[in-house]
Amino acid sequence: MLQDEIIRLKREKNAVILAHYYQDKDVQDIADYVGDSLELSKIAARTQADVIVFCGVNFMAETAKILSPTKKVLLPVKEAKCPMAMMVDAPSLKKYKEEHPDRIVICYVNSYADVKALSDVCVTSANAEKIIMNYKDQKMLYVPDKNLGIYLRDKYNLDIEVWPGFCCIHNHLKVAQVLEMREKHPGALVLIHPEAPLKVLKQADFIGSTKQIIDYATSSPAKEFIIGTEDGILHPLRKNNPDKQFHILTPDLRCWDMKLTTLQDVYLSLKNDTYEITVPEDVMQGARRALDKMMEMS
Ligand code: 13P
Ligand code: SF4
């Protein structure tokens, strides 16, 4: 069986498999650790393994490499890329900084190393609120997710400019979809990821990262939930809570880049050492500084 071969190769190569909650359920089930962007970064930073197989999209594997530069980091599918991370580039950010030298640059982890290297600090959806509050009296730029930036600006009345990037999955959520689902499932709590637009977030009972959504649903006495994030999260939600009901807010909450990775890809990645992530030396140090600052502040 493919699963047995993966386990055998993993032992032979002293590898660890990390998977994001948005991965296909077979991939989540073979992983040593399943988590959100923050948890997986922490695991990558402290692992004793020689090889990290990162089942996610390429900025995540790149982040793991920056945090664990002596390890071999593999991304099973070369084409798995987050469209949001491609919505900001280093030359444009450099130009912005020259024009706005007084703004602290807060960089969402969904970005590439050269952008991180130009930033003061990185954040994930799980720690953005905590980290941004350290700068609450200063001018900030939040890059590249406009929705998360707008959400925190609105919540705390902060001076944050936002880059016009977005997640192609969460940005399409509509208020009408929440209202319709509430009517269909009266009494269900609505849990939404902060990459959704503000007017949609205002309809939520809880806003949080994927891990925070799982923790909230697991500890809540409520029995029914409407889930406003990518549908891979339904697997851990249902596994941890067999007595509860989960409805996806819309059927198109599916990130095709996250879903590119199959068990076969994980097997081939371990067998052939594909695809190894490298980070150019000139950006490694700067990106590491912004990520280390995030780790200190989380
Ligand atoms: P978290 O893992 O921080 O919940 O973010 C979700 C995401 O969009 C990852 O691509
Ligand atoms: Fe990028 Fe959105 Fe897919 Fe996450 S869910 S990888 S932010 S496109």
Side-chain angles (χ1 to χ4, degrees), residues 31-51:
D32 297 290
Y33 299 95
V34 185
D36 68 359
S37 308
L38 181 61
E39 288 176 285
L40 295 177
S41 300
K42 286 183 174 166
I43 293 163
R46 63 164 197 252
T47 184
Q48 295 300 313
D50 295 319
V51 179

Side-chain angles (χ1 to χ4, degrees), residues 20 22 36-37 59-60 108 110 124-125 193 195 209-210 258:
H20 191 272
Y22 294 166
D36 68 359
S37 308
F59 79 80
M60 295 181 169
Y108 199 28
N110 297 40
T124 76
S125 61
H193 196 281
E195 289 172 8
S209 77
T210 43
M258 281 285 187

Side-chain angles (χ1 to χ4, degrees), residues 67-103:
L67 291 168
S68 237
T70 60
K71 313 281 151 121
K72 182 180 279 185
V73 178
L74 304 174
L75 180 73
V77 178
K78 199 164 51 182
E79 297 76 22
K81 296 177 183 163
C82 167
M84 186 208 284
M86 292 186 266
M87 292 179 191
V88 55
D89 60 88
S92 310
L93 180 57
K94 203 159 175 246
K95 184 163 177 281
Y96 177 96
K97 281 180 54 159
E98 279 158 17
E99 289 164 3
H100 305 85
D102 52 340
R103 288 204 179 256

Side-chain angles (χ1 to χ4, degrees), residues 10-27:
K10 212 176 62 167
R11 287 203 188 114
E12 188 182 300
K13 300 202 166 183
N14 187 26
V16 65
I17 302 177
L18 310 187
H20 191 272
Y21 290 122
Y22 294 166
Q23 291 287 292
D24 187 78
K25 65 179 175 23
D26 292 343
V27 174

